[in-house]
Amino acid sequence: MLSALERFAPLPLQESWDNAGLQVGLTETEVSGALLCLDVNEKIVDEAIQKGCNLIVSHHPLLFRGLKTISDLTDVQRTVMKAIVHGICVISMHTNMDNAKGGVNFKIAEKLGLQDVQFFAPKSVDGIEAGSGVIGALPEALAADDFVQAVKKTFDVECAMCNELLRRKIQKVAICGGAGDFLLDEALKAGADAFITGEMHYHQYFGYEQRIQICVIGHYQSEQFTSEIFREIIERECPGIKTCVAETSTNPILYL
């Protein structure tokens, strides 16, 4: 299972600060079922137990930094301890899945129905084609307000944070799931009419009026379909293994 996921999104594709790969457990564990999710917490481990899954595959790593103790002091420590006690392995595919061809940003583009999708800031890592964001074309150009409404509907978001609405139609769309403001200028250079990401710093919204339509939909919301990628890989490469997309929402942000 781990090797199948890493063939699709090799670990060298992850950013230097990341910690993708095996988080908890033994590499030779026989998998009874895989629970697929965005984040790992105690409730996700509880769901895995309830569903008879001894493997959790997440997008965001449970462990970003080393633990000096494993006790009940923090949510991360309690989650690690519960997973170990119940014999549950945890694998995370983070920025390697962001940067992989067919990965997170390609899935977002698929949901939006974009055509001719490709990396707009490509790079090669150990001879592997990769990139942090993708660009593609809508089947039909849309007015800015219609575009924003279509994005909100696709990702089931209550609101989108946007700059001034463009007074021209949108067809070329650049995407970077999660925190993607570092690619805004690259999206502009690539000729994008709009840029979709999950979160962006306040000051990044200034200076792009009538140049590019910014549409920020929330970190969790932008990456919510990543579990579908995990399921596709596992069902193709490891047929017969039960896969369950987590029903537990791990989004820590409430919209009131």
Side-chain angles (χ1 to χ4, degrees):
M1 176 81 73
L2 178 60
S3 59
L5 291 165
E6 290 184 0
R7 280 195 300 272
F8 185 92
L11 289 182
L13 298 187
Q14 70 179 313
E15 303 297 334
S16 60
W17 48 264
D18 201 7
N19 187 40
L22 181 66
Q23 307 277 294
V24 177
L26 304 175
T27 56
E28 299 302 318
T29 299
E30 184 174 342
V31 178
S32 62
L35 184 69
L36 317 175
C37 58
L38 199 62
D39 311 282
V40 186
N41 58 22
E42 287 187 90
K43 290 182 179 178
I44 287 290
V45 176
D46 288 337
E47 184 175 344
I49 296 166
Q50 188 268 324
K51 291 184 174 175
C53 297
N54 67 348
L55 173 65
I56 295 171
V57 182
S58 72
H59 183 44
H60 296 141
L62 171 61
L63 301 174
F64 269 111
R65 303 168 191 84
L67 296 177
K68 292 187 177 181
T69 60
I70 300 177
S71 67
D72 60 352
L73 293 177
T74 69
D75 178 61
V76 171
Q77 291 181 27
R78 289 191 298 271
T79 301
V80 170
M81 193 158 60
K82 181 174 282 190
I84 292 172
V85 167
H86 291 277
I88 294 173
C89 295
V90 179
I91 295 170
S92 299
M93 298 280 111
H94 191 211
T95 51
N96 54 323
M97 188 61 76
D98 289 330
N99 291 331
K101 190 169 185 179
V104 175
N105 296 309
F106 284 86
K107 177 59 70 173
I108 296 171
E110 175 191 313
K111 293 296 180 179
L112 291 167
L114 300 190
Q115 301 170 344
D116 303 319
V117 179
Q118 57 189 307
F119 295 117
F120 67 84
K123 55 187 175 183
S124 178
V125 180
D126 294 344
I128 304 168
E129 182 186 6
S132 299
V134 302
I135 190 168
L138 291 166
E140 182 180 347
L142 295 174
D145 55 347
D146 291 332
F147 169 76
V148 172
Q149 291 303 315
V151 172
K152 287 174 61 178
K153 182 177 180 181
T154 298
F155 293 91
D156 191 26
V157 298
E158 299 175 40
C159 65
M161 292 180 285
C162 305
N163 62 341
E164 179 181 272
L165 292 180
L166 280 185
R167 292 190 290 273
R168 58 181 167 84
K169 289 196 171 184
I170 291 169
Q171 185 134 40
K172 290 186 74 175
V173 179
I175 296 166
C176 182
D181 56 5
F182 68 101
L183 281 177
L184 180 56
D185 287 328
E186 291 293 332
L188 193 60
K189 289 177 187 175
D193 301 309
F195 179 62
I196 299 172
T197 190
E199 59 178 287
M200 210 164 77
H201 289 88
Y202 171 78
H203 292 286
Q204 286 287 101
Y205 289 84
F206 288 99
Y208 294 90
E209 297 82 3
Q210 298 309 311
R211 299 174 68 200
I212 191 169
Q213 183 66 64
I214 296 168
C215 186
V216 179
I217 60 175
H219 196 125
Y220 180 94
Q221 290 86 343
S222 70
E223 297 180 329
Q224 63 183 290
F225 300 115
T226 304
S227 292
E228 293 184 13
I229 306 173
F230 298 150
R231 172 172 267 175
E232 290 160 7
I233 296 168
I234 294 168
E235 290 183 346
R236 181 176 65 248
E237 301 294 332
C238 309
I241 290 181
K242 178 178 71 174
T243 58
C244 306
V245 174
E247 297 176 62
T248 303
S249 173
T250 57
N251 189 356
I253 301 171
L254 298 178
Y255 301 86
L256 303 176

